[in-house]
Structure formats: C-alpha cells, structure tokens
Amino acid sequence: MKGIKREGWISYKADGMFSFLWQKRYLVLNDSYLSFYKSNRFSEDPVLSVALTSITNVSRIQLKQNCFEILRLTDQKENVSPMNSYFYESNSKRPIFISTRTEQDLHGWLDAIFAKCPLLSGVSSPTNFTHKVHVGYDPKVGNFVGVPDSWAKLLQTSEITYDDWNRNSKAVIKALQFYEDYNGLDSIQTDQSNPSLNLKPLKSPTKYIINKRTNSIKRSLSKTLSKSKTDSILPVYQSELKPFPRSAVNNNSIINLKDAKTHENDMHASREKVTDLRTTQLKRKEQQAIQHHLQKHDSNATLKPRRVAPAAPVAKLHNGKAITPKENLLELKDADDSEEIIMKMKTVAIDVNPRPYFQMIEKAGQGASGAVYLSKRVKLPQKNDSRFLNSHCDRIIEERVAIKQIHLSEQPKKQLIMNELLVMNDSHHENIVNFLEAYIIYDKELWVIMEYMEGGCLTDILDPTADINASNKSSPLNESQMAYIIKETCQGLKFLHDNKIIHRDIKSDNILLNSQGLVKITDFGFCVELTEKRSKRATMVGTPYWMAPEIVNQKGYGEKVDVWSLGIMLIEMIDGEPPYLNEDPLKALYLIANNGSPVLRRAELVSKKTRQFLDACLQVNVELRASVRELLMFDFLLLACGPKEFKQTLKWY
Ligand SMILES: Nc1ncnc2c1ncn2[C@@H]1O[C@H](COP(=O)(O)OP(=O)(O)OP(=O)(O)O)[C@@H](O)[C@H]1O
C-alpha cells in the first residue's frame, strides 16, 4: 500500500456498537486517513477510516496503559463499515481510544498523527490547510466558513478579522485550538445577543474560564456575591461607588471573623469601623470589581475600571509530548481521584482540627480555591502530641499568619492544591512565601498556614487607572524599585528552576509583598517538575496575557516560560498592564502567537538597561531567551534599590 506514514498493531475502542470492547486492529496512517484494519494484509476494507482533517484533538488519557484519545468531528467525510456504523449528530465530537503496546510506540503514533493533521500542531502551510478543509471568509454571511461550528461562533464574537486570517491563518488556528482546549467546549456557548459581555452562568470555581476582562470581573463579582449569599456586600458597596483615592484608604468597614465556620454570618453581622490596612485593600478589590461591572451596564459611570487579571485556566494534557503523572508533583489530568489525593495531602498536612489554635482576624483575600484570612496563633499543641511531629510545636504564640481555607469537596482540580502544598512544603527560600504547616479537617477542609504578607500583591501597587496615552506618563514605581522587584523574583525563580520546578503562572498577582518591603512568589498550583527524561512540558497552563508564545503554539516548553512571564510582568510595571489586556482573549492569544515580542508602550520611562533586560526576557526564540541565571547578571539589576527604599512604595496603603 502506498503513502503509508506509520502502521502497526494497536487496541482500539470507539463509541458505537462495540464501545465496551477493546479490539485489536492494524492501524495505518497515510496522507489523508487514519484507517483501522482487521489484519495487516489489507485484504478487506478498513473497519473505520478517519479523515485527518476531521481530527481536532489528540491527547493522552489514563484509560489504559499507553493510551491516547482522538477527537474527531463527525460531519467530515468518514468511511465507516456497516458493522461499526452508529447514529451521530452532525458536527459533534466523537472520541476514539487507542492503546499501544509500549510507551515508545505511543509517542511514535502521537508524533505521526500530530504531524499529519492540519487542525493539530503539525498544521500544514496555510494554503494547504485552506485547500483541505475549505476554510474561507464568506462576505455574505459575514463569517468564516469551513471551520467547526464552535470555532465559527468564536470567530464571530471575537475581534479576529479576515485580515488577521490572511496575515497568519496558522496563528488564528493555534489561538482557536488553544482557546477551545483551555475553556472546554461548553464555554463557547457565547451570548450572541451581547458578544461584548459574553457572560454565561459561571461554574464554581470559575477561575478557570478565560474570557474577556468583563468575565474576570464577573467572576470575582459572582464569587463575592455568592460568598455573602448576596445579601450584604453589594448594597453596601454600591452605595459607595466613588473613585477610590489612595489617600482615602483608612475609613472603611471591616469584616471581622471570629470563626471560619460561621464567617458568612459574621460577615453580615460585624461590620465595624476600623482603620485596617488589609481590609481596605480587600474591600477596594471588591469595590473595583463592582464598579467595573456597573460601568458595563451604566453609561453614566465615569470611572476607569481597574485591571483584573484573568486567572490561570485549567491545564489539560494535550499533545504527544504530554506526560504521565510525576512521582512528586502531579500533572494535571481530567479526573481527580479524591481519595488518592487526600491521602497524598496527608503526607504533608496534619490530620487534626486546627480551630482551637488560631483566631481569625480578618479576610485578606479571596482566591479561586478558597479565602485567605489574617489570623493569630493563640495556642500551641502539646509537645507530646505525636500527631504534630514536633514540627510546629516551637511556633510563636501571637504570631500573625495567613490561613488559606479550602473546601476540598468544592475543588474540581485537587491536583492544583496538592501541587501547591508540595511545592510550598519543599521550597523554603527568602523569595518564596513561607509555608508553615497545613491541616486537613475530616477530609473535607484544608487549611494552609503561611507567613502573612501584609503588603498584598504587586498588582495592587501598579496604577491601573493610568491612561497609557496620557501626556503626563509616569509609573508608580521608579526604575530602581522595578529592578528590585525583578531581582527578588529572579532569585525566587532561580531557586525553583535549580530545583527543576517551573512556576508557570508568574504575574504581578502572584508576587506578594510584606511590610519590610520583601518580595515573594506565591501560587504554586501550576508548578511542575521537570525530570531528566522530560525536560520539556506540553501541558497548557498559565494566564493568557503572560503566556509565552511556545505555550500558545503548543510546543514543548521548559523553564524559560517563566522568563517570558517575568518580562511581561516588567511591562506591567512600566505600562501599568500586560500587552493586549484590552483585547478579547482569543485575539490576545492570536497576537501572542503572531506578533512575537510585544512592544513597550512607555519605553521612554525606562533606561536602556531596562530595555535590554526586557529584550532578553521576551525573545520568541527560546534558545535566544535568557535563563534566570543569565538574567541575574544583567546591569539592569544593579539599579535595584533595597527593601527599605521599596517599602516607601507600600505607604500608599
Ligand atoms: N500569605 C499571604 N499573606 C497575605 N495575603 C495573602 C497571602 N496569600 C494570599 N493572600 C491574599 O489572598 C488572595 C487570594 O490568594 P490565593 O493564593 O488564594 O489566590 P489565587 O491564586 O487567586 O487563588 P487559588 O490559589 O485559590 O487558585 C491574594 O490575592 C492575596 O491578596
């Protein structure tokens, strides 16, 4: 037989008549089809032939050993033998599961399929692609034709134009694939009547949906509202919708929590007037979210919205280089085995109810997986209580700590939390938020006790209201303060990279500050460990606007994705926000895939040393991009001030 690219025995199962059976088949890949034969003599027609143009995704799956899943659109031309025919809806995606004998074989198949399928990473040249699936733009319909329905919908509501398609159709496809894989298909049910808002009912937790800025705000809004059972926070804050000058931070109410278990009632009951720093920050965040939300609906609103960074989406094993769960850090898979993860958590967390040991003071922040509280340690465990392993019997009474409270049953991705625990437990460094201990309560709740970072996150001190085009351009940070933050972050990253850990979600929201002006990295949910064998990952994680092009382009990647994100964070400090933040997320992904290194809009605010540093971070070619070790030798970092000078910046609060 001619044109065979790869062939061999596999086991397969598809939905349909024999969906419960793994069947042995001879698989043949040629230029156009993936065909399943009963024997390798090709004496009969194939049992099933799948057009390569219909394959929209291939990913590893833990259904069986050495197993992967192919998703194909069923409205494409496909030969199915009568024995295997079944009813399917047009345009639906159907899976086929393939299991190979060896891991090597599996990788061989994945690479070969990826290379041949135009809708996967091995996209052929744009002309070729267009020819194969007849993608084009129909001016009568005003939309793209020949793409899957879900993509057509997305394109219709996105800001991607036909010119963008002509300029770089491959980048458009990458962005679409990426967006779809990231969000899951259901997130693509856009509200056609109001594409700019695109607000669908948000699932809980909602963090993982990439969408427009408005959605991020909707997300934090809905989080706030659902936490308070909608009765208290909104009316109070609505009545206070005014600009929120930095000088006016001292006269707001506090949410005083006595006990985490009853905090919702307490939130309602105990709004007292106090002059507390962190409460003010928290409240401002909520208020800004509401302001932005109302602005979207109220044309009279005059305030410029604050930037709210969309949070990192869920990772999915994606392509041929995807990985099996690592012994230590868990790779993200679709289904959580709760019991297994809780067992693993107990290797780090103490299986004891910690309530008697802490007094909640106030809420410091709200994450996707739970709330963070400022608390005080009021009691120590008995020294002879073996459950505490002595590790924290020597802690200090009155110590102020941050407690992240996570309701495990509400977490669809417990691996993220597990990862966070493992990395924090192993990573003691002055530029990493210090993990103290963790408790697991009746297998239901996890309390992570950390050092308290009263300065909040870096995003809070950037100036989101600054008009990027205004004549009085300035940044709230001077160059030496920027150099200081970057130097400290680089040191934290060097520690992680030296330990073969990639953070994968570096952005200003994940840099915390304390009252001594110290700068520390937090949020280790997306960390992953590189092993000797696999020095490149292919899983898609991170937050779109900070994401390196090699992730959007779904290539294998390494620790230098953190360097790219660090560069974007430096742009945040100079420009006030990351590039493309005002673009719709799909367009932003396209621009990251297509544009190469982003342009600094306020380049004149910084010196050549800073620009050189930025250049080294934002090289699209990973080989040319500096490593963190190299970055630490750049002259830019010699400009760094010390913590004391940086502390002045925090006085804004
Ligand atoms: N150690 C800390 N000290 C002080 N404040 C903190 C600390 N850790 C987190 N926070 C505050 O709590 C907020 C939520 O933190 P968290 O790490 O839960 O956020 P997230 O990354 O958005 O969510 P998640 O980790 O649940 O996915 C942060 O924005 C920060 O303001």
Side-chain angles (χ1 to χ4, degrees), residues 463-647:
D463 188 357
T465 56
D467 181 353
I468 206 96
N469 301 312
S471 52
N472 58 337
K473 292 173 184 176
S474 69
S475 164
L477 296 168
N478 62 37
E479 214 170 359
S480 68
Q481 290 167 329
M482 291 180 198
Y484 169 69
I485 296 167
I486 292 290
K487 188 175 93 185
E488 299 300 302
T489 312
C490 270
Q491 282 164 187
L493 279 178
K494 180 175 175 296
F495 171 84
L496 291 175
H497 292 181
D498 284 351
N499 286 288
K500 303 264 176 282
I501 290 169
I502 323 178
H503 185 281
R504 303 200 287 187
D505 201 16
I506 291 294
K507 55 181 178 179
S508 64
D509 312 63
N510 288 334
I511 302 297
L512 295 184
L513 316 166
N514 72 11
S515 56
Q516 289 133 48
L518 301 182
V519 174
K520 307 197 181 201
I521 302 174
T522 187
D523 207 349
F524 300 94
F526 289 104
C527 277
V528 78
E529 193 164 347
L530 291 172
T531 61
E532 292 280 305
K533 272 195 209 153
R534 273 182 260 276
S535 61
K536 296 252 174 210
R537 319 296 304 188
T539 317
M540 298 173 298
V541 301
T543 309
Y545 301 92
W546 287 261
M547 202 172 268
E550 64 267 27
I551 303 185
V552 181
N553 286 322
Q554 296 164 46
K555 295 181 180 161
Y557 62 82
E559 70 275 6
K560 285 190 183 171
V561 294
D562 287 341
V563 171
W564 178 279
S565 305
L566 184 79
I568 301 293
M569 194 173 95
L570 181 52
I571 293 189
E572 274 187 88
M573 290 190 239
I574 303 166
D575 283 349
E577 61 183 36
Y580 319 133
L581 190 77
N582 289 321
E583 301 286 351
D584 97 74
L586 185 57
K587 177 84 176 222
L589 289 171
Y590 161 77
L591 292 171
I592 293 170
N594 178 62
N595 282 7
S597 308
V599 177
L600 190 59
R601 285 175 290 179
R602 293 162 154 185
E604 68 287 356
L605 290 188
V606 290
S607 66
K608 197 172 162 199
K609 286 179 182 166
T610 308
R611 292 197 297 270
Q612 277 170 341
F613 184 90
L614 205 53
D615 267 2
C617 293
L618 297 177
Q619 289 295 324
V620 174
N621 183 339
V622 182
E623 302 285 311
L624 300 179
R625 198 180 306 157
S627 66
V628 171
R629 192 177 284 270
E630 287 161 349
L631 287 181
L632 280 165
M633 291 186 287
F634 269 68
D635 283 352
F636 166 58
L637 300 189
L638 297 175
L639 302 176
C641 64
K644 275 196 192 139
E645 194 185 322
F646 174 61
K647 229 169 77 175

Side-chain angles (χ1 to χ4, degrees), residues 127-291:
T127 344
N128 203 7
F129 174 81
T130 306
H131 172 71
K132 277 184 181 168
V133 296
H134 309 292
V135 174
Y137 186 82
D138 183 345
K140 274 191 222 140
V141 187
N143 200 7
F144 292 88
V145 289
V147 292
D149 273 1
S150 55
W151 287 12
K153 261 187 208 162
L154 270 176
L155 285 166
Q156 207 163 25
T157 52
S158 85
E159 286 153 17
I160 291 183
T161 61
Y162 187 50
D163 283 347
D164 292 331
W165 173 268
N166 272 344
R167 211 170 293 128
N168 191 346
S169 56
K170 197 168 159 179
V172 174
I173 292 170
K174 292 287 182 195
L176 283 162
Q177 279 180 330
F178 192 82
Y179 189 98
E180 192 176 81
D181 284 341
Y182 237 52
N183 284 330
L185 279 174
D186 56 345
S187 65
I188 293 163
Q189 317 297 321
T190 52
D191 176 358
Q192 301 287 336
S193 63
N194 191 351
S196 70
L197 268 180
N198 197 14
L199 299 176
K200 72 190 196 74
L202 296 165
K203 291 185 217 137
S204 174
T206 57
K207 170 172 185 170
Y208 306 121
I209 293 174
I210 310 177
N211 236 312
K212 293 189 80 127
R213 248 156 80 130
T214 45
N215 268 21
S216 305
I217 289 153
K218 173 78 176 176
R219 181 193 64 215
S220 47
L221 234 190
S222 77
K223 235 189 261 171
T224 307
L225 297 182
S226 64
K227 267 266 168 256
S228 64
K229 299 271 183 271
T230 72
D231 57 355
S232 58
I233 290 180
L234 186 59
V236 174
Y237 292 175
Q238 253 179 341
S239 64
E240 293 175 354
L241 288 178
K242 296 183 209 121
F244 207 83
R246 289 203 156 97
S247 55
V249 295
N250 281 336
N251 38 6
N252 292 295
S253 57
I254 187 171
I255 304 161
N256 189 3
L257 306 181
K258 295 187 187 81
D259 184 311
K261 209 173 173 187
T262 55
H263 75 263
E264 282 177 15
N265 296 338
D266 289 351
M267 277 171 87
H268 190 61
S270 60
R271 288 174 188 283
E272 303 163 34
K273 285 228 162 189
V274 297
T275 55
D276 190 285
L277 209 71
R278 291 296 299 142
T279 306
T280 307
Q281 287 175 6
L282 172 68
K283 185 174 167 189
R284 198 182 56 210
K285 276 186 187 172
E286 287 165 345
Q287 190 181 36
Q288 281 159 340
I290 291 164
Q291 280 173 358

Side-chain angles (χ1 to χ4, degrees), residues 207 278 285 365 367-369 372 402 404 451-453 512 523:
K207 170 172 185 170
R278 291 296 299 142
K285 276 186 187 172
S369 56
V372 176
K404 186 162 170 175
E451 69 179 302
Y452 184 61
M453 300 292 288
L512 295 184
D523 207 349

Side-chain angles (χ1 to χ4, degrees), residues 378-507:
V378 290
K379 204 173 150 195
L380 291 175
Q382 298 293 324
K383 283 247 182 223
N384 57 3
D385 189 335
S386 59
R387 295 169 305 169
F388 290 97
L389 307 167
N390 290 327
S391 62
H392 67 299
C393 289
D394 54 354
R395 301 271 190 237
I396 309 156
I397 288 263
E398 296 288 306
E399 178 189 32
R400 277 153 56 101
V401 294
I403 302 186
K404 186 162 170 175
Q405 297 182 345
I406 299 164
H407 289 276
L408 291 171
S409 58
E410 291 165 16
Q411 306 307 318
K413 294 278 167 184
K414 294 187 191 62
Q415 294 108 319
L416 300 178
I417 296 159
M418 185 64 224
N419 274 359
E420 184 147 26
L421 258 189
L422 288 171
V423 174
M424 286 185 94
N425 190 38
D426 284 348
S427 306
H428 290 278
H429 184 271
E430 57 268 35
N431 297 111
I432 287 184
V433 171
N434 203 8
F435 166 82
L436 299 170
E437 76 241 29
Y439 298 88
I440 201 152
I441 313 169
Y442 308 124
D443 290 0
K444 286 194 166 58
E445 223 179 304
L446 178 76
W447 283 24
V448 181
I449 321 291
M450 305 167 270
E451 69 179 302
Y452 184 61
M453 300 292 288
E454 56 276 63
C457 65
L458 172 60
T459 322
D460 291 342
I461 60 169
L462 304 181
D463 188 357
T465 56
D467 181 353
I468 206 96
N469 301 312
S471 52
N472 58 337
K473 292 173 184 176
S474 69
S475 164
L477 296 168
N478 62 37
E479 214 170 359
S480 68
Q481 290 167 329
M482 291 180 198
Y484 169 69
I485 296 167
I486 292 290
K487 188 175 93 185
E488 299 300 302
T489 312
C490 270
Q491 282 164 187
L493 279 178
K494 180 175 175 296
F495 171 84
L496 291 175
H497 292 181
D498 284 351
N499 286 288
K500 303 264 176 282
I501 290 169
I502 323 178
H503 185 281
R504 303 200 287 187
D505 201 16
I506 291 294
K507 55 181 178 179

